[in-house]
Amino acid sequence: MLLALIKDIRAVLIKLAWHLQFLRLLANSETTDKHRCAAHQTMDVYAPITNRLGISHIKWEMEDLAFRFMEPEKYKSIAKSLQNTRLEREEYIETFTCLIAKMMQGADIDGQVYGRPKHIYSIWKKMRRKAIGIAQLYDLRAIRIVVADIETCYKVLGMVHERWPHIPEEWDDYIANRKPNGYQSIHTVVIGPRGR
């Protein structure tokens, strides 16, 4: 509704950027009621708007900062667990993306392959939803493969599943079941190199 009322989307983008910068500045001070108020605003208003606009990297950062203010102990616990392996996870993602890119080149498939470590709020939500600890999460690392059309998407999925075993219960087809915001993709979990 908010987006429909605004004639110039640039105004929304400026407000989102301003709010993100405000959260970053708050992160440099001790948590107060002001921080918690900004965090609730973020979760209730700003993060859903960024999600709706498809600006995921801003959404992730806003959610992590807001979560840090709302649940500082849980945030620190997850961050500490991840920090111990951050460099290793980044190195692993780099290696795995190169393997997939070479596999696609060998099959003459154009596309982009990139990865990222999952963000803290997303990890916490999944831990809570599944009632499990961080050690039981399969997807602390994420690889994204972007191709031009649906047929190629399923073809690449078949190649990935042929090369690495997948975990059937960790499968979501958002092409066949498109999300309300138009998001389309396939999520799968594979046991990649080094058994991870």
Side-chain angles (χ1 to χ4, degrees):
M1 187 170 70
L2 177 65
L3 295 176
L5 294 172
I6 297 172
K7 292 185 172 138
D8 190 347
I9 193 67
R10 293 177 296 182
V12 175
L13 297 175
I14 290 168
K15 183 63 178 170
L16 292 173
W18 180 90
H19 188 72
L20 178 57
Q21 185 60 28
F22 176 65
L23 292 172
R24 288 173 178 165
L25 290 171
L26 286 178
N28 294 323
S29 59
E30 282 192 42
T31 302
T32 64
D33 287 341
K34 183 178 183 179
H35 292 76
R36 284 184 277 282
C37 180
H40 286 289
Q41 258 187 343
T42 300
M43 294 302 202
D44 294 342
V45 178
Y46 293 102
I49 290 172
T50 57
N51 184 52
R52 190 74 174 163
L53 292 173
I55 315 172
S56 54
H57 61 285
I58 292 177
K59 174 185 174 267
W60 299 331
E61 187 175 354
M62 282 185 178
E63 286 177 338
D64 276 0
L65 289 166
F67 179 57
R68 178 178 173 183
F69 303 145
M70 294 167 68
E71 298 282 352
E73 294 306 314
K74 290 176 184 170
Y75 177 90
K76 287 177 190 170
S77 173
I78 293 170
K80 186 177 179 186
S81 297
L82 296 177
Q83 191 61 35
N84 294 339
T85 61
R86 183 177 180 86
L87 292 175
E88 184 275 333
R89 287 184 305 130
E90 289 173 355
E91 180 269 339
Y92 184 87
I93 287 168
E94 180 67 29
T95 301
F96 202 11
T97 55
C98 288
L99 283 172
I100 293 171
K102 286 178 186 173
M103 181 179 71
M104 289 171 58
Q105 284 176 341
D108 202 28
I109 295 174
D110 288 327
Q112 297 175 328
V113 183
Y114 51 96
R116 62 170 175 80
K118 277 196 102 148
H119 70 292
I120 293 173
Y121 180 68
S122 173
I123 290 168
W124 177 76
K125 280 193 332 187
K126 188 167 249 188
M127 287 168 57
R128 194 176 70 173
R129 187 176 71 244
K130 293 190 170 195
I132 58 175
I134 196 165
Q136 287 83 40
L137 284 180
Y138 291 116
D139 56 350
L140 296 177
R141 305 163 196 87
I143 306 295
R144 182 168 291 175
I145 305 167
V146 180
V147 293
D149 55 65
I150 291 172
E151 182 181 333
T152 308
C153 185
Y154 283 107
K155 183 176 181 179
V156 172
L157 174 71
M159 293 167 59
V160 168
H161 281 183
E162 187 176 302
R163 182 153 182 190
W164 296 285
H166 72 284
I167 300 171
E169 58 272 12
E170 295 290 327
W171 157 268
D172 291 302
D173 187 342
Y174 296 116
I175 292 175
N177 302 302
R178 183 184 301 204
K179 286 191 172 188
N181 66 358
Y183 176 81
Q184 286 187 287
S185 73
I186 298 171
H187 294 191
T188 188
V189 174
V190 298
I191 306 298
R194 294 182 255 165
R196 299 185 183 162

